[in-house]
Amino acid sequence: MQEPILQAVAVRKAFGPDVVALDRVDLTVVRGEWLAVSGTSGAGKSTLLQLFAALDHPTSGRILYRGQDLASMGDLDHYRRRVVGVVFQLHHLLPHLSVRDNIEIAMMGRHLSRRDRVARVSELVAAVGLEAQQIRRPPELSGGERQRAAIARALANSPEVLLADEPTGSLDPENVTRLLGLLETLNRESRTTIVMVTHDRDVAERAGRLIHIDAGRIVEVEGAAS
Amino acid sequence: MSGRGSYRSLTFMRLIFQDLASRRTRTGLTAVAVAISVMAIVTLSLVTKSLERSAAAVLQMGNADFIVAQKGAPDILSSVVTDTQVVGVSKTAGVQSAVGALIDTFRLDAAHPQFLQIGLAPGELAPFGVKIVAGRAYGATATNEIMLGWQAAQDIHKSVGDSLKVGATSYRIVGLYSLAQVSGDTASMFPLIPLQASEHKPGTVTLVAVQVRAGASIDQVRKRIAEANPNLATVRLASEFGRVDRNLEFLKAAQSGATIIALLIGIIIVMNSMLLSLIERMREFGVLRALGWSRRRLVSLVIGEAVGISVIGAALGVGLAVLLTFSLEHGSSLQGYLQPQYSGWTFGMALYSAIGIGVVASLYPSLRAGMLRPGDALRKE
Ligand SMILES: Nc1ncnc2c1ncn2[C@@H]1O[C@H](COP(=O)(O)OP(=O)(O)OP(=O)(O)O)[C@@H](O)[C@H]1O
Ligand SMILES: [Mg+2]
């Protein structure tokens, strides 16, 4: 059964009069699928993820979550907190907080006991292999370690959809394998939907479906939504 | 690594603390600015309160329903009421008793630069509320007899029969009295006529303590006295002291003005600091919104940080105020005049001023943080 979870309907996103980052984009993300997005630099991949993450509004067209237009949704905070988890291209960790605190800060709006939060953070730290670095701050981490911390933060609230912008960009092969393993488990066991921007052909291969974006348009689709 | 449960959870308080600690220099400097503002507010209040208490002490002596003194005198001790006016007041309808008292100060020693002396006729000791607790009353015209308040006697280790030098003159202490009021009991008492002579103020007193007949309206009597004596004022409540002590009024006005200025400067400095950090932290705030932080939570964070800075400032400011007041009390020309009383109110006021500064100063910056669009904020470098 193909149950749409996120949809872009005739989405156009322009920055000023000259830059059109996305143009007439129609895309349905099916619940439980793993979708890879590729395209040249400046094609509009990050812009698409930003719209799905409710961080920006499309210039025209609509973004739907389970059929409901985000523009008409009252509480986007809840959507941002519980529905989507975002791994930013530039990771965006808070430099003055430890890895643990960077992860826990995402859980602060929820009614969770301190104990549960601490336990959840430990679980995530272990999942991304940062036990030895968990009390360090981002400036004291390597690029790959920062990226893993950002992934742990995105997963903190067990989102329905993980939106990841080049999460394997600065990882070594061993950690790429480890991360893909983690995503596969999430995708298979928790039915977490994954939308992942990647330039890496091997990484894209793991996804069930691959779309190419060029100059703001979806030009090619490989595979079918499972 | 440490085992489970040994990691601390990230509480809102700890987050505020980490945010402030990550900008130590700015937090410190801003807190110092708040501290200076709080110090000014607290010190001014301590000094004003102390002077107000000494003025009030004079006015509250003498078992009276109200006091009559010269209207608009620069301070209460320079008020002049003539004996004729005292008689006029005593004959006003509704007046039970009107006791004229000459009040002045002399220098006893370094610790008592302003020792109070009260000139009262022996016949008026009782209506003024004086009780002899040892020895006897002085004679009406005895030029070298005085009485000491019982607390003053304890304080300077004197008792009945001892002598006390005031300037060049040596007096004999013939009795100890109680006025059941601290400033009266720590003073000295002289027969009125000899005191008027030695102070070169013949035929005048400083104030008149009036008691109203049972059943008469105090306000009516006050009105009659004021109408009959345009240059006299009647004072009943602490808030009315200004009528007969203009200097105190000026001081209080200056205190209010300086307090407002200190608050405003504190607010502007904290606001400036918060706006600066808002600009630097656009991206951080964008990230928090992207993680699902509500506007309200973000606004609370910014206000919490400003209040955090201000409370650090308040603690520092109280310390500075105590130091400054102490040095005024002991090291300046105010030595012996200034008797600050530290109370919970002093510290409460510092804390409230600081929280007020923090909240007001962060309203605009915090609302701006709340209004940020996460997408825009994330693009800021
Ligand atoms: N805030 C903005 N203002 C103006 N132009 C923008 C803005 N954000 C993105 N763009 C433009 O929109 C286009 C799409 O940008 P986007 O970040 O989505 O590209 P991308 O596919 O993620 O590229 P990359 O692989 O380099 O990350 C680019 O031409 C970019 O310059
Ligand atoms: Mg991008």
Side-chain angles (χ1 to χ4, degrees), chain B residues 60-380:
Chain B
Q60 281 161 353
M61 277 185 308
N63 185 25
D65 288 323
F66 58 88
I67 292 290
V68 180
Q70 183 186 341
K71 189 185 277 178
D75 65 75
I76 182 65
L77 292 185
S78 51
S79 152
V80 174
V81 182
T82 65
D83 283 350
T84 326
Q85 285 174 320
V86 177
V87 173
V89 169
S90 69
K91 287 189 174 149
T92 307
V95 170
Q96 165 88 31
S97 71
V99 178
L102 181 61
I103 297 176
D104 212 332
T105 62
F106 65 88
R107 184 182 170 81
L108 182 64
D109 53 39
H112 305 89
Q114 273 197 316
F115 201 71
L116 267 182
Q117 48 186 169
I118 306 166
L120 275 180
E124 305 203 299
L125 292 175
F128 200 74
V130 179
K131 285 193 180 65
I132 311 286
V133 295
R136 59 167 173 87
Y138 41 61
T141 55
T143 52
N144 65 344
E145 290 186 354
I146 61 168
M147 294 195 291
L148 265 189
W150 67 271
Q151 275 187 345
Q154 280 187 353
D155 185 21
I156 62 175
H157 308 292
K158 298 275 183 190
S159 70
V160 176
D162 292 345
S163 65
L164 186 75
K165 264 184 92 85
V166 178
T169 319
S170 183
Y171 291 90
R172 239 171 65 77
I173 299 163
V174 298
L176 303 185
Y177 68 86
S178 161
L179 264 173
Q181 189 243 13
V182 181
S183 48
D185 292 343
T186 52
S188 56
M189 207 165 273
F190 290 65
L192 180 61
I193 293 165
L195 186 64
Q196 285 174 330
S198 66
E199 296 290 313
H200 307 293
K201 292 175 178 169
T204 69
V205 293
T206 309
L207 52 81
V208 190
V210 178
Q211 266 190 330
V212 168
R213 243 181 250 291
S217 146
I218 293 177
D219 287 336
Q220 286 289 329
V221 177
R222 289 176 66 178
K223 216 161 142 193
R224 275 178 221 137
I225 293 173
E227 277 164 11
N229 304 277
N231 79 323
L232 297 184
T234 64
V235 177
R236 187 166 181 215
L237 304 169
S239 57
E240 299 170 342
F241 292 163
R243 294 185 185 181
V244 294
D245 198 327
R246 239 178 334 160
N247 288 350
L248 185 62
E249 279 304 275
F250 284 139
L251 185 69
K252 281 162 78 175
Q255 184 212 359
S256 312
T259 298
I260 290 169
I261 292 171
L263 282 175
L264 285 179
I265 291 177
I267 287 169
I268 288 169
I269 289 174
V270 175
M271 191 188 293
N272 186 48
S273 163
M274 296 315 290
L275 281 175
L276 204 61
S277 87
L278 170 74
I279 291 162
E280 286 173 1
R281 296 163 74 193
M282 291 279 200
R283 212 156 50 130
E284 178 181 337
F285 292 157
V287 171
L288 293 176
R289 289 304 308 280
L291 294 176
W293 270 48
S294 63
R295 285 210 164 88
R296 193 191 299 173
R297 185 171 289 271
L298 193 55
V299 165
S300 313
L301 180 69
V302 175
I303 294 179
E305 290 180 14
V307 170
I309 292 178
S310 304
V311 169
I312 299 172
L316 216 60
V318 167
L320 289 176
V322 170
L323 279 180
L324 180 62
T325 311
F326 184 85
S327 68
L328 285 176
E329 191 183 342
H330 297 280
S332 74
S333 56
L334 284 179
Q335 195 175 357
Y337 298 77
L338 189 64
Q339 276 149 0
Q341 283 182 4
Y342 302 96
S343 60
W345 159 244
T346 317
F347 303 105
M349 183 177 58
L351 196 63
Y352 285 134
S353 324
I355 291 175
I357 288 174
V359 171
V360 174
S362 58
L363 281 182
Y364 173 66
S366 67
L367 287 180
R368 273 195 48 184
M371 297 318 284
L372 286 176
R373 303 232 320 255
D376 298 342
L378 278 170
R379 271 182 226 108
K380 294 278 182 336

Side-chain angles (χ1 to χ4, degrees), chain A residues 157-172:
Chain A
N157 295 318
S158 314
E160 290 178 57
V161 185
L162 178 69
L163 302 168
D165 203 341
E166 289 198 56
T168 57
S170 37
L171 298 185
D172 57 273

